[in-house]
């Protein structure tokens, strides 16, 4: 029962051990003292709440917000002490805000529950009691043997036991997990691979020991112990044995696997857990403003309380004849009375803190984010991909970016590789008409028959064909006779690869005569000049970013054991002992200068004794449960040495469209661009020059190949000196991964100074975590600039998550970057529109929204404060409680919301064609202290005009109302405090709505409807509210007040006069500033206005000429048809 309660409340008991032991088919040991480990069930829970915890959990989350908690306190104060306003005035808005947010979050969670139930209720087959049993996905337990058929998705994380193939292999696609569409091969251990029937599997006695669940999709460490008769066989389990939940079975009839991770402990579920929350600069500013307004509120409340007691120091005002004190009041403590009065004033003025601001901002962000997805300029037709918004909390941050960190491959380039050149045994070759031609040879040799390859060339191409993870299209290998058994030349094979480099190399090798024709069991088959050869695959030493190479150990048809290795030249050349090392190094540098991606290829022959030692070490490392990665790394280093260099390859990665123009536009906008890449120094520099990141005229400084702290520091000091001396020209900095590590260790400040004085920075040979470290370094520097990271691969995820704004490119390297990003776009060129148009609009909209909210609440509450000077600080409210409640909810909420969704102060084309306008809003310019002060002072000024304008025009002389009669016997005269308060409130609603209208540049019919509709609604509501006796209201102070007020012509005169007086100075200030000190944006607006006037004249002329045609086309259209942007 206790466990169930803990689960319902969202508490997950932690795992006690580092490893888990799984008994296949849940055959637990029979001895009595065995206690089974507790594992999660297979329910996927993506929802946040349950029926039991929704109310407490949701309320807790909402009241963590300062404004919500503050209003709760005010509401409780109103309930506890006698306050001037009803608890409803703060309780109702609070209830409205909490309810709206709870309904939105509850609905979203209900949709998640619905999706979860579909997944958890899906039918699956498990092996139980010697047969296949159909059950629901949620009922699978750890240890169950599950059957999955072709094209089905795996319901849990399974260790593969067997498949319909003899070798126990199967193919899966993990597109839904990491976006990689290539087929991946998984294999079962030989002892279980032969168990292909339910009856045989039911007899299996085996135990799996593996690590506890972790989020890394590509890491799995375990071992399986199989009991056969009297012996126990131990086999290692790695990622190649694990079938992940969410992946799909392909090209295999069926498989059986044992469930090792279930439900929320599957790798898919661990990967989809929410990321750390990023907060925008606007949100931080908003919280600062709230604190300032809280201080203003406390000041007003304390001042009012002190003035009340100062006033009451006089005998005649302490207890006036019309308001005698009760016995309890006379005897109560002065301190308690002071506190009570202070709290009462706090309640009276509490609306200066705008509670509905949070809800409006949330709605604006949520609804506004749809515009990015709907923007057809961000739609990529070739791939049919729209821009994607993963979080709407950072929309305005797109308008504040100061640094862009970009990956190179797949982000600036297409990630479409074309084989261009190679170096074999110290000779450079190019591919000409499907032949490898040494450099300098002409291509007019006869093509009649395929020339034979030299021994070195053939070995090099075989290495390329065998050392990879490429798959062949399933349709081409499904037949009983593979394509390599066909007579004549086989049809071109279609290759799939997770790495575009590998695919390009294997395709190039097939064109020049060495064709990879597929795998069969543990064999790799190739055709060398039409002659089939079969190599037994003994071991694969997987690629990893630290080694920067991958290897295979194969047995050749002659029985020789060979190691083929390929990788970055920095990881291959130092390990090579023979071959044309120096010549190849020169060729690699030449390839890199042309912007080609380079790989070196080497091999090693093993003697039988060496191979035996290698096999033993690999087995020990692979079966280790503790520190397996470290042990494997040591063994790989032991194996990959004493290599014989075969050559190098040069593959071209084409630049994406409009990359140069985009980088130039970012530079004009005042944004510094850093390129962070894992590529070679020369390749990276060459691409930087070709994409416009570095200019030919730029002075390129280098901080590369430093091995010690002292040399790195000395070089940094020299660079800083050169920058100081040549401050006129632009500088570009190139730094590599090793030098960067040294620079960040001891000389962080010096390194940052050098970087900040450079127009462009290129970091090459970067590990993924180094990329994130560089972003963090900039983020936390004293200026705290807003950073944006953009990339397309799994190696960019840490950088994307570290930056203020992370953007994923929907590229060819899977979807991990897109999944972990805040926004996703199909091409780098879309970044300019995303920042210069959407970012600009979002920032302007929300900056005005936030400041306008504070302004209208200052206008609202300041007359309440001023009124206390006229009512002896008796805490009498100026406005009726219904008006207090509805001011922010109904009367003034819609115009600002619609403004914040549709405002376009400059045409989008102008913003995109003039990136320099982006500088006008940089560094949070519209939410700085000056604009905040202007809006606050404006609010106080307008409030003074509302109050004293109404008082001077109407307060003294009741004859202005047209009558001075008493409304009813024994009731106050018509012009009392409610009439005065209603006049002030009416003027205020009109003025703040008109102020919003003045701020609006882009008018749509919706703007017109909500702006004028809000004013009309206020009048209609007030007439109904005051014109009818409502039976459910306790008192009705406003009865007939509004009708009487509007029946007076002088009241209308006062309203118009005060509204004009308020807004006149604002209009004058705008006009003067616009003509005397215009910003770049305002100049663009004026140019746009002139352009629209001239185009309107042209339009009128053409309309006159084409009147008859238009009438034929659309007889119902109005004469002056408007166009909608």
């Amino acid at each position: 029962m206790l466990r169930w309660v803990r689960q319902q409340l969202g508490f997950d008991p932690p795992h006690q051990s580092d490893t888990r032991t799984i008994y296949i088919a849940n055959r637990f040991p029979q001895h009595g003292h065995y206690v089974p480990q507790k594992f999660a069930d297979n329910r996927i829970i993506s929802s946040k709440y349950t029926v039991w915890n929704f109310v407490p959990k949701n309320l807790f989350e909402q009241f963590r917000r300062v404004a919500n908690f503050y209003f709760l306190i005010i509401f409780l104060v109103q309930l506890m002490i006698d306050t001037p306003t009803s608890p409803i005035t703060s309780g109702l808005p609070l209830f409205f805000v909490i309810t709206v947010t709870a309904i939105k979050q509850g609905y979203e969670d209900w949709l998640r529950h619905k999706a979860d139930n579909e997944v958890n209720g899906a039918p699956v087959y498990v092996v139980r009691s010697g047969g296949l049993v159909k059950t629901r996905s949620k009922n699978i337990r750890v240890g169950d043997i599950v059957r999955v058929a072709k094209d089905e998705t795996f319901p849990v994380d399974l260790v593969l036991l067997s498949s319909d193939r003899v070798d126990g292999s199967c193919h899966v696609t993990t597109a839904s997990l990491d976006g990689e569409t290539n087929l991946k091969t998984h294999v079962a251990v030989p002892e279980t691979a032969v168990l292909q029937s339910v009856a045989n599997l039911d007899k299996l006695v085996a135990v799996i020991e593996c690590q506890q669940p972790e989020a890394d999709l590509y890491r799995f460490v375990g071992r399986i112990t199989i009991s056969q008769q009297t012996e126990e066989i131990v086999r290692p389990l790695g990622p190649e044995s694990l079938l992940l939940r969410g992946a799909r079975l392909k090209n295999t009839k069926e498989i059986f696997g044992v469930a090792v991770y279930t439900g929320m402990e599957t790798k898919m579920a661990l990967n989809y857990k929410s990321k750390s929350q990023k907060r925008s600069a606007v949100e931080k500013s908003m919280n600062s403003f709230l604190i300032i307004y809280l201080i203003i509120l406390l000041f007003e409340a304390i001042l009012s309380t002190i003035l009340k007691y100062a006033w009451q120091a006089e005998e005649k005002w302490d207890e006036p004849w019309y308001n005698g004190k009760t016995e309890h009041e006379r005897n109560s403590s002065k301190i308690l009375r002071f506190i009570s009065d202070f709290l009462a004033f706090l309640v009276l003025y509490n609306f200066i803190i705008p509670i509905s601001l949070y809800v409006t901002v949330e709605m604006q962000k949520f609804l506004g984010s749809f515009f990015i997805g709907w923007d057809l300029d961000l739609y990529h037709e070739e791939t049919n991909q729209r821009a994607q918004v993963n979080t709407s909390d950072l929309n305005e941050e797109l308008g504040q970016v100061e640094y862009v960190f970009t990956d190179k491959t797949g982000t600036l380039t297409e990630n479409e590789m074309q084989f261009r050149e190679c170096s074999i045994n110290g000779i450079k070759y190019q591919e000409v008409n499907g032949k490898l031609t040494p450099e300098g040879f002409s291509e007019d040799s006869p093509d009649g028959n395929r020339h034979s390859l030299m021994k070195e060339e053939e070995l090099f191409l075989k290495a390329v064909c065998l050392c990879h993870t490429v798959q062949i299209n399933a349709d081409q290998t499904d037949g009983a006779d593979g394509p390599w058994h066909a007579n004549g030349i086989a049809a071109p094979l279609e290759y799939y690869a997770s790495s575009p480099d590998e695919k390009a190399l294997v395709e190039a090798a097939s064109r020049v005569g060495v064709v990879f024709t597929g795998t069969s069991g543990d064999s790799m088959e190739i055709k060398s000049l039409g002659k089939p050869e079969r190599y037994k695959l003994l071991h694969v030493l997987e690629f990893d970013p630290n080694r920067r190479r991958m290897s295979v150990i194969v047995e050749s048809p002659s029985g020789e054991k060979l190691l083929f290795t390929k990788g970055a030249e920095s990881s291959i050349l130092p390990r090579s002992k023979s071959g044309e090392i120096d010549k190849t190094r020169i060729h690699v540098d030449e390839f890199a200068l042309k912007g080609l991606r380079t790989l070196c290829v080497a091999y090693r022959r093993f003697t039988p004794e060496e191979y035996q030692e290698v096999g033993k070490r690999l087995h020990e490392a692979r079966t280790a449960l503790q520190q397996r990665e470290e042990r494997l790394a040591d063994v790989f280093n032991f194996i990959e040495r004493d290599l014989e260099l075969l050559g190098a390859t040069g593959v071209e990665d084409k630049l994406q469209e409009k990359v140069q123009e985009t980088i130039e536009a970012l530079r004009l906008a005042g944004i510094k661009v850093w390129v962070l890449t894992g590529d070679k120094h020369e390749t990276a520099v060459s691409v930087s020059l070709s994409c416009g990141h570095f200019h030919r005229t730029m002075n390129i400084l280098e901080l590369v190949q430093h091995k010690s702290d002292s040399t790195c520091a000395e070089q940094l000091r020299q660079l800083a000196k050169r920058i100081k001396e040549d401050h006129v020209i632009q500088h570009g900095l190139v730094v590599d991964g090793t030098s960067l590590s040294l620079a960040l260790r001891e000389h962080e400040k010096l390194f940052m100074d050098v970087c900040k004085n450079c127009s462009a920075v290129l970091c090459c040979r970067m590990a993924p975590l180094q990329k994130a470290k560089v972003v963090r370094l900039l983020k936390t520097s004293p200026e705290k600039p807003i950073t944006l990271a953009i990339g397309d691969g799994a190696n960019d995820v840490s950088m994307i998550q570290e930056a203020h704004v992370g953007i994923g490119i929907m590229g060819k390297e899977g979807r991990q970057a897109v999944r972990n990003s805040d926004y996703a776009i199909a091409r780098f060129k879309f970044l300019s529109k995303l920042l210069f148009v959407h970012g600009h609009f979002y920032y302007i909209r929300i900056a005005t929204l936030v400041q306008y909210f504070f302004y209208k609440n200052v206008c609202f509450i300041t007359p309440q404060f001023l009124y206390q000077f006229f009512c002896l600080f008796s805490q009498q409210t100026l406005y009726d409680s219904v008006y207090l409640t509805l001011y922010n909810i109904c009367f003034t909420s819609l115009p600002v919301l619609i403004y914040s969704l549709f405002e376009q102060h400059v045409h989008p084309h102008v913003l995109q064609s003039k990136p320099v306008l982006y500088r006008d809003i940089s560094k949070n310019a519209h939410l700085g202290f000056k604009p905040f002060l202007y809006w606050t002072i404006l609010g106080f000024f307008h409030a003074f005009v509302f109050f004293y304008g109404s008082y001077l025009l109407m307060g003294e002389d009741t004859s202005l109302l047209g009558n001075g009669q008493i409304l009813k016997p024994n009731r106050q005269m018509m012009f009392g405090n409610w009439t005065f308060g209603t006049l002030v409130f009416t003027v205020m609603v009109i003025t703040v709505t008109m102020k919003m209208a003045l701020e609006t540049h882009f008018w749509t019919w919706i703007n017109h409807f909500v702006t004028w509709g809000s004013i009309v609604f206020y009048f209609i509501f007030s007439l109904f509210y005051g014109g009818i006796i409502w039976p459910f209201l306790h008192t009705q102070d406003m009865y007939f007040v509004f009708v009487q007020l509007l029946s007076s012509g002088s009241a209308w005169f006062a309203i118009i006069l005060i509204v004009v007086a308020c807004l006149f100075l604002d209009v004058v200030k705008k006009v003067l500033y616009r003509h005397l000190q215009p910003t770049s944006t305002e100049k663009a607006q004026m140019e746009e206005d002139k352009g629209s006037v001239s185009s309107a004249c042209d339009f009128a002329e053409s309309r006159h000429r084409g009147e008859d045609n238009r009438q034929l086309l659309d007889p119902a259209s109005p004469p002056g048809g408007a166009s909608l942007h």
Side-chain angles (χ1 to χ4, degrees), residues 328 356 421 467 493 550 589 729 841 856 878 935 952 958 979 982 998:
H328 174 71
S356 52
E421 295 183 62
C467 185
L493 293 164
M550 79 155 286
D589 290 345
I729 59 169
F841 283 158
K856 74 185 176 82
L878 178 61
W935 280 93
L952 293 171
T958 53
T979 314
T982 305
L998 279 177

Coordinates of all heavy atoms in Angstrom, one line a residue, residues 328 356 421 467 493 550 589 729 841 856 878 935 952 958 979 982 998:
H328 N -13.9 48.3 22.0 CA -12.9 47.4 21.7 C -11.7 48.1 21.0 O -10.5 47.9 21.2 CB -13.4 46.3 20.7 CG -12.4 45.4 20.2 ND1 -11.7 44.4 21.0 CD2 -11.8 45.2 18.9 CE1 -10.8 43.8 20.3 NE2 -10.9 44.2 19.0
S356 N -2.4 39.4 -13.6 CA -2.7 38.7 -14.9 C -1.5 38.9 -15.9 O -1.6 38.3 -17.0 CB -3.9 39.4 -15.5 OG -3.8 40.8 -15.5
E421 N 39.4 12.9 -54.0 CA 40.8 12.5 -54.3 C 41.2 11.5 -53.2 O 40.6 11.3 -52.1 CB 41.8 13.7 -54.2 CG 41.6 14.7 -55.2 CD 42.6 15.8 -55.1 OE1 43.8 15.5 -55.2 OE2 42.2 17.0 -54.9
C467 N 36.3 -1.8 -43.7 CA 36.3 -1.1 -42.4 C 35.2 0.0 -42.4 O 35.5 1.2 -42.7 CB 37.7 -0.4 -42.2 SG 37.9 0.4 -40.6
L493 N 24.5 -1.3 -56.2 CA 23.9 -1.5 -54.9 C 23.6 -0.2 -54.2 O 24.3 0.8 -54.3 CB 24.9 -2.3 -54.0 CG 25.2 -3.7 -54.5 CD1 26.4 -4.3 -53.8 CD2 24.0 -4.6 -54.2
M550 N 38.1 4.0 -36.2 CA 37.5 2.7 -36.0 C 38.3 1.6 -36.7 O 39.0 1.9 -37.6 CB 36.0 2.7 -36.5 CG 35.9 2.6 -38.0 SD 34.3 2.0 -38.5 CE 34.4 0.2 -38.1
D589 N 47.4 17.4 -45.9 CA 47.4 18.9 -45.7 C 46.9 19.6 -47.0 O 46.1 20.5 -47.0 CB 48.7 19.4 -45.4 CG 49.1 19.0 -43.9 OD1 48.2 18.6 -43.2 OD2 50.3 19.1 -43.6
I729 N 42.7 46.8 -38.5 CA 42.2 45.7 -39.4 C 41.4 44.7 -38.5 O 41.6 44.6 -37.3 CB 43.3 45.0 -40.2 CG1 44.4 44.4 -39.2 CG2 43.9 46.0 -41.2 CD1 45.3 43.5 -39.9
F841 N 10.5 40.8 -33.7 CA 9.0 41.0 -33.4 C 8.7 40.6 -32.0 O 8.0 41.3 -31.2 CB 8.1 40.3 -34.4 CG 8.0 41.0 -35.8 CD1 7.7 40.3 -36.9 CD2 8.2 42.4 -35.9 CE1 7.5 40.9 -38.1 CE2 8.1 43.0 -37.1 CZ 7.8 42.3 -38.2
K856 N -0.2 50.4 -16.8 CA -1.7 50.5 -16.6 C -2.0 50.2 -15.2 O -3.1 50.7 -14.7 CB -2.4 49.7 -17.6 CG -2.5 48.2 -17.4 CD -3.2 47.5 -18.6 CE -3.2 46.0 -18.6 NZ -4.2 45.5 -17.7
L878 N -11.7 54.0 -3.8 CA -12.1 55.0 -4.8 C -13.0 54.3 -5.9 O -14.0 54.9 -6.4 CB -10.9 55.6 -5.5 CG -11.2 56.6 -6.7 CD1 -11.9 57.8 -6.2 CD2 -9.9 57.0 -7.3
W935 N 8.1 54.6 -18.6 CA 6.7 54.0 -18.5 C 6.2 54.2 -17.1 O 5.0 54.5 -17.0 CB 6.7 52.5 -18.9 CG 6.7 52.2 -20.3 CD1 7.8 52.0 -21.1 CD2 5.6 52.1 -21.2 NE1 7.4 51.8 -22.4 CE2 6.1 51.8 -22.5 CE3 4.2 52.2 -21.0 CZ2 5.2 51.7 -23.6 CZ3 3.4 52.1 -22.1 CH2 3.9 51.8 -23.4
L952 N -10.7 68.8 -10.3 CA -10.8 70.2 -10.6 C -12.0 70.5 -11.5 O -12.7 71.5 -11.3 CB -9.5 70.7 -11.3 CG -8.2 70.7 -10.4 CD1 -7.0 71.0 -11.3 CD2 -8.3 71.7 -9.3
T958 N -20.9 71.0 -8.2 CA -21.8 69.9 -8.6 C -22.7 70.4 -9.7 O -23.3 69.6 -10.4 CB -22.7 69.5 -7.4 OG1 -23.3 70.6 -6.8 CG2 -21.8 68.7 -6.4
T979 N -19.4 58.5 -7.8 CA -19.5 59.2 -9.1 C -18.1 59.6 -9.4 O -17.6 59.5 -10.6 CB -20.4 60.4 -9.0 OG1 -21.6 60.0 -8.4 CG2 -20.7 60.9 -10.4
T982 N -16.0 56.7 -10.4 CA -16.4 56.1 -11.7 C -15.9 57.0 -12.8 O -15.5 56.5 -13.9 CB -17.9 56.0 -11.8 OG1 -18.4 55.2 -10.7 CG2 -18.4 55.4 -13.1
L998 N -1.9 54.0 -29.6 CA -0.8 54.8 -30.1 C 0.4 54.0 -30.3 O 1.2 54.3 -31.2 CB -0.5 55.9 -29.0 CG -1.4 57.1 -29.0 CD1 -1.0 58.1 -27.9 CD2 -1.4 57.9 -30.4

